[in-house]
Amino acid sequence: MINAETFTVTTPSDREIVVTRVFNAPRKLVFDAWTNPKYLPHWMLGPDGWSMPVCEIDLRPGGSWHIVWRHSNGQEMEMRGSYREVQPPERVVSSESWGPEWPETLNTVVFSERAGKTTATITLLYPSKDARDAALKTGMKQGMSQSYDRLEAYLESLGS
Amino acid sequence: MISSDHLDATFAALADPTRRAILARLASGDASVNELAEPFSMSQPAISKHLKVLERAGLISHSRDAQRRPRRLEPKPLAEATEWLEKYRRIWAANFQRLDALLDQMKFDELKTKEKKSARLKTRGDCR
């Protein structure tokens, strides 16, 4: 898959995580796929086994959104937030929270189109370095792998 | 549990290209200071300095008794530093592959709608 190579995850500052990816489609379509509840449950599902039974989106500044994921084993995850900026088809800024014990992030998604292809840039901004590190530690509890493959890939990504 | 100071030390140690090259070399097997210095145009003391930084960050270790004192890679701190980014990466990679398929479907649907529209217009034109 050609576009898998255009996929990056970086930490440009100690409060941010930035994800970029190129798609073979005009940004009008990518924006739609990203913001329309008709399309979102088809792809924003994370690892295998999850579905999205609830996807409520009120796409306007001040409007709220609410997503529930359900695993085939019965486990559920819920996320909600509100929209700060909505500029179709180029930019959406929204807050995101997994619940009171989690830090709320401010997510900015920017779509830029060139020669029929769209680059999506997602920036997750944490309220503080501590908040990002807390999210980081929780992530690490979920399983520690020490594979050399991953080590090599990481070293390569640092070297490039 | 890992403290963020620990992670800071790991990331600081990784910020230098020579130290990353040393780690990449050690990933393929243990090596003595001389063996590690070889590929770099650097004095042994300069290499030793880098090795100390890596050792303080817990990224490498050495055995005391052996005469060569070969350096060994310690994979755990690196795995800790990369795990959380990898978690994000895996989730988004899976999402984006599905989105690629969905966008292809959306492009196809759009094309079909356009074709139907132009066919309708054409029929209307014929009736006139």
Side-chain angles (χ1 to χ4, degrees):
Chain A
M1 197 161 287
I2 303 159
N3 284 331
E5 288 159 25
T6 66
F7 172 41
T8 65
V9 181
T10 54
T11 50
S13 79
D14 54 12
R15 287 176 57 205
E16 287 171 296
I17 296 171
V18 175
V19 179
T20 65
R21 174 64 140 77
V22 175
F23 298 95
N24 285 327
R27 68 175 174 179
K28 190 181 144 289
L29 286 191
V30 183
F31 184 92
D32 239 21
W34 216 283
T35 55
N36 190 328
K38 180 177 153 193
Y39 298 120
L40 208 60
H42 289 285
W43 67 272
M44 202 178 265
L45 299 169
D48 285 347
W50 291 89
S51 62
M52 192 191 287
V54 178
C55 179
E56 295 158 355
I57 290 178
D58 183 10
L59 191 67
R60 57 186 175 86
S64 60
W65 61 272
H66 176 211
I67 289 174
V68 178
W69 286 275
R70 188 176 297 145
H71 195 264
S72 47
N73 68 12
Q75 194 190 343
E76 278 197 357
M77 290 197 317
E78 192 173 20
M79 202 161 89
R80 45 177 93 233
S82 62
Y83 293 100
R84 305 286 168 88
E85 285 176 50
V86 179
Q87 290 167 35
E90 51 182 88
R91 184 180 159 90
V92 179
V93 182
S94 62
S95 64
E96 173 190 309
S97 174
W98 292 82
E101 70 274 30
W102 293 77
E104 189 180 85
T105 59
L106 191 67
N107 303 349
T108 303
V109 189
V110 174
F111 305 99
S112 60
E113 186 178 324
R114 201 174 167 182
K117 292 188 174 203
T118 300
T119 303
T121 305
I122 309 141
T123 305
L124 296 113
L125 177 68
Y126 286 84
S128 68
K129 180 179 186 294
D130 285 350
R132 194 192 70 172
D133 289 349
L136 170 167
K137 281 182 194 169
T138 312
M140 284 191 294
K141 270 184 207 157
Q142 306 210 344
M144 201 82 81
S145 164
Q146 301 177 359
S147 109
Y148 279 92
D149 288 353
R150 193 176 295 172
L151 163 67
E152 279 178 347
Y154 185 60
L155 290 171
E156 270 168 29
S157 75
L158 285 169
S160 62
Chain B
M1 205 55 237
I2 308 102
S3 73
S4 54
D5 285 356
H6 190 151
L7 275 169
D8 285 348
T10 307
F11 280 116
L14 289 171
D16 180 89
T18 304
R19 291 199 285 270
R20 292 197 298 268
I22 291 171
L23 289 175
R25 163 67 187 82
L26 289 175
S28 60
D30 298 358
S32 70
V33 179
N34 278 339
E35 286 165 342
L36 288 171
E38 231 170 46
F40 306 102
S41 47
M42 261 188 208
S43 65
Q44 208 182 307
I47 288 291
S48 292
K49 253 187 203 168
H50 284 303
L51 292 176
K52 259 183 205 154
V53 176
L54 289 169
E55 217 160 296
R56 267 203 302 271
L59 289 162
I60 64 169
S61 64
H62 67 267
S63 51
R64 282 183 190 282
D65 21 62
Q67 199 145 42
R68 281 170 66 239
R69 288 161 53 94
R71 262 54 177 188
R72 167 173 301 166
L73 185 74
E74 294 294 334
K76 204 174 160 221
L78 263 177
E80 288 167 357
T82 56
E83 176 65 24
W84 67 287
L85 266 190
E86 274 305 315
K87 196 176 153 249
Y88 272 96
R89 179 170 259 281
R90 276 198 301 272
I91 289 172
W92 283 106
N95 283 347
F96 290 154
Q97 274 191 12
R98 282 186 294 257
L99 180 52
D100 280 335
L102 173 67
L103 287 168
D104 281 345
Q105 182 64 44
M106 286 167 76
K107 277 194 283 190
F108 179 73
D109 290 348
E110 207 174 52
L111 207 66
K112 264 200 324 203
T113 315
K114 266 186 200 155
E115 271 170 13
K116 259 188 213 160
K117 243 185 218 166
S118 65
R120 258 206 316 271
L121 285 174
K122 213 173 158 197
T123 322
R124 244 185 260 162
D126 289 347
C127 293
R128 226 175 265 156

